[in-house]
């Protein structure tokens, strides 16, 4: 019962309370399209060793036992003597800007074609990169080059490494969910060649044997009926392993006067040891056992990382087929790698309505990011 006052008759009136208003939760965002792109030149591991005349048996072993067949790279041109040398940091940053924008634009167009949408439909653009520094950011450059409406909402995720694709997907899905019917797009564009330098250290050799150039884009929309027939993005779970915060990093190398990656040899074991708890937390929020997951889309972080995740989660090699396939064909593509695997999964035509899938990435921090989707 509520109490009201009549201005003309100030006595207390007893009036029935209004019925409670039902709270309707916004619909989850759906994946409407995906697209990928790479740079034109690709090389086998043996070709890279030959191009740089690498003869150290330990370094050659790292390259040839990486489970990588071929990678797309933009390598420095040979000098008059046929030798290829490391590029100065300024040249690497310029290379990053050129390659990241070009690949990002091509991945975006492929994604929009897959979604049946156009540039004019984009209302939110989130761009991810960790292989160079740009100010203004990649989102501003792509908006200008593509001719996207300058009033488009935008964000840039920089420096989060290989896990950043799911960090950004979380933000992009949240925006789409809060703005039903409006198209949100995320682009991961990693010009790993812009971090490719050469010295005689094993630290550099491990990095040089692993990463490749690639970009991927994904489009999301919520509350638009069946306009998007892709999976619903249900939830996310994250875990940062603070004890291993320096195990993966991209920092300044004063001796070489440039930025360089560092990958600790213990990364596979650290990531593997924590994979179960974050995946189980993701699934428990939906009341699901691990056996309910039909599709696993995992970042192609490297042979040992993939094996550690597979063993600790009790997955089969078939579960990880796209992860290992992308590693073999492209190397580690950093933040967009999982979307290459997702695209391959869709291409198989094996997904059925109601199927659950887990998306999983790993990166600096050390961090593990996961997302639960359902078709």
């Amino acid at each position: 019962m509520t109490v009201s006052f009549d201005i003309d008759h100030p006595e207390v009136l007893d009036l029935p309370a209004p019925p409670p208003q039902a709270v309707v939760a916004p619909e989850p965002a759906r994946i409407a399209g995906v697209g990928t792109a790479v740079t034109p030149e690709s090389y086998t591991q043996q070709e890279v060793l030959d191009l740089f005349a690498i003869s150290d048996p330990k370094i050659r072993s790292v390259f040839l036992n990486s489970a990588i067949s071929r990678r797309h790279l933009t390598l420095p041109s040979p000098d008059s003597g046929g030798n290829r040398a490391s590029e100065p940091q300024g040249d690497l940053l310029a290379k990053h800007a050129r390659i990241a924008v070009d690949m990002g634009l091509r991945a975006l167009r492929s994604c929009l074609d897959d979604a049946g949408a156009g540039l004019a439909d984009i209302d939110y653009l989130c761009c991810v990169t960790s292989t160079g520094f740009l100010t203004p950011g990649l989102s501003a450059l792509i908006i200008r080059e593509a001719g996207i409406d300058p009033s488009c909402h935008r964000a840039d995720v920089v420096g989060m490494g290989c896990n950043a694709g799911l960090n950004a997907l979380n933000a992009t899905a949240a925006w789409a969910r809060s703005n039903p019917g409006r198209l949100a797009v995320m682009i991961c564009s990693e010009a790993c060649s812009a971090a490719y330098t050469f010295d005689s250290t094993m630290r550099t050799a491990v990095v040089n044997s692993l990463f490749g150039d690639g970009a991927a884009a994904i489009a999301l929309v919520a509350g638009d009926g069946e306009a998007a027939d892709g999976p619903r993005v249900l939830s996310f779970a994250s875990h940062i392993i603070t004890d291993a915060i320096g195990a993966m990093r991209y920092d300044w190398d004063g001796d070489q006067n440039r930025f360089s990656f560092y990958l600790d040899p213990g990364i596979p074991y650290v990531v593997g040891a924590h994979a179960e708890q974050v995946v189980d937390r993701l699934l428990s929020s939906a009341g699901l056992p691990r056996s309910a997951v039909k599709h696993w889309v995992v970042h192609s972080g490297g042979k040992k990382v993939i094996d550690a995740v597979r063993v600790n989660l009790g997955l089969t090699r078939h579960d990880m087929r796209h992860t290992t396939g992308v590693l073999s064909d492209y190397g580690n593509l950093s933040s967009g790698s999982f979307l290459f695997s997702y695209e391959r999964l869709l291409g198989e035509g094996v997904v059925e309505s109601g199927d659950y899938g887990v998306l999983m990435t790993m990166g600096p921090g050390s961090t593990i990011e996961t997302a639960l989707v359902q078709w």
Side-chain angles (χ1 to χ4, degrees):
M1 180 176 293
T2 59
V3 177
S4 301
F5 293 89
D6 187 306
I7 296 176
D8 298 322
H9 304 282
E11 64 271 17
V12 175
L13 301 176
D14 290 334
L15 299 176
Q21 296 294 314
V23 177
V24 179
E27 293 183 27
R30 281 186 177 270
I31 298 175
V34 65
T36 58
V38 292
T39 47
E41 296 86 14
S42 68
Y43 305 86
T44 66
Q45 296 290 66
Q46 184 64 57
E47 286 171 339
V48 176
L49 292 170
D50 293 342
L51 285 171
F52 291 95
I54 298 171
S55 58
D56 185 315
K58 291 183 179 179
I59 294 177
R60 291 180 66 86
S61 177
V62 170
F63 273 75
L64 298 176
N65 292 287
S66 60
I68 296 170
S69 300
R70 181 172 288 275
R71 292 177 291 155
H72 290 259
L73 295 167
T74 305
L75 300 177
S77 300
D79 60 21
S80 57
N83 301 311
R84 298 175 190 251
S86 293
E87 298 159 282
Q89 185 62 61
D91 291 351
L92 291 172
L93 290 173
K95 178 191 283 190
H96 173 263
R98 183 179 74 254
I99 297 174
V101 170
D102 174 69
M103 288 192 304
L105 285 169
R106 288 187 286 115
L108 171 62
R109 294 186 180 107
S110 176
C111 172
L112 292 175
D113 287 345
D114 189 45
L119 293 169
D121 298 312
I122 301 174
D123 283 312
Y124 177 89
L125 179 66
C126 180
C127 289
V128 181
T129 191
S130 296
T131 48
F133 300 98
L134 293 169
T135 304
L138 189 57
S139 66
L141 297 178
I142 285 180
I143 285 171
R144 182 191 67 180
E145 292 299 317
I148 298 169
D149 188 337
S151 66
C152 175
H153 300 274
R154 59 206 172 275
D156 286 273
V157 176
V158 179
M160 296 191 77
C162 297
N163 57 273
L166 280 183
N167 295 110
L169 183 64
N170 194 343
T172 306
W175 191 92
R177 190 172 186 177
S178 299
N179 295 269
R182 300 172 69 181
L183 191 69
V185 174
M186 177 190 77
I187 301 173
C188 300
S189 192
E190 302 288 8
C192 294
S193 293
Y196 218 80
T197 58
F198 298 89
D199 57 33
S200 59
T201 67
M202 188 58 66
R203 164 179 173 162
T204 300
V206 170
V207 171
N208 287 353
S209 71
L210 181 59
F211 291 95
D213 297 338
I218 188 170
L220 300 101
V221 66
D224 202 19
E226 294 301 317
D229 58 3
R232 297 177 300 149
V233 182
L234 300 179
S235 61
F236 294 84
S238 175
H239 185 74
I240 182 166
I241 308 160
T242 54
D243 290 343
I245 202 162
M248 286 182 265
R249 62 181 188 268
Y250 185 52
D251 53 14
W252 185 257
D253 184 337
D255 294 335
Q256 300 290 334
N257 201 35
R258 56 171 168 76
F259 288 99
S260 68
F261 278 111
Y262 173 72
L263 301 173
D264 190 282
I267 287 171
Y269 314 105
V270 171
V271 169
H274 292 82
E276 283 188 276
Q277 65 184 87
V278 63
V279 167
D280 288 346
R281 178 155 40 88
L282 174 77
L283 297 178
S284 66
S285 66
L288 297 174
R290 210 179 298 170
S291 59
V293 179
K294 294 288 185 66
H295 309 289
W296 294 86
V297 179
V298 181
H299 167 56
S300 301
K303 178 183 177 182
K304 291 182 179 179
V305 172
I306 294 169
D307 286 344
V309 169
R310 178 179 58 80
V311 170
N312 281 273
L313 291 178
L315 304 180
T316 66
R317 296 187 187 279
H318 181 75
D319 291 329
M320 303 286 276
R321 64 196 180 281
H322 300 305
T323 299
T324 55
V326 168
L327 181 71
S328 176
D329 295 343
Y330 298 101
N332 182 333
L333 296 166
S334 192
S335 63
S337 175
F338 77 104
L339 291 178
F340 278 72
S341 294
Y342 174 77
E343 186 177 52
R344 288 190 171 196
L345 173 64
L346 296 186
E348 279 188 323
V350 298
V351 175
E352 297 180 351
S353 178
D355 283 358
Y356 286 100
V358 166
L359 315 180
M360 183 177 183
T361 60
M362 304 79 73
S366 297
T367 52
I368 303 173
E369 307 294 336
T370 60
L372 178 66
V373 300
Q374 185 183 28
W375 278 265

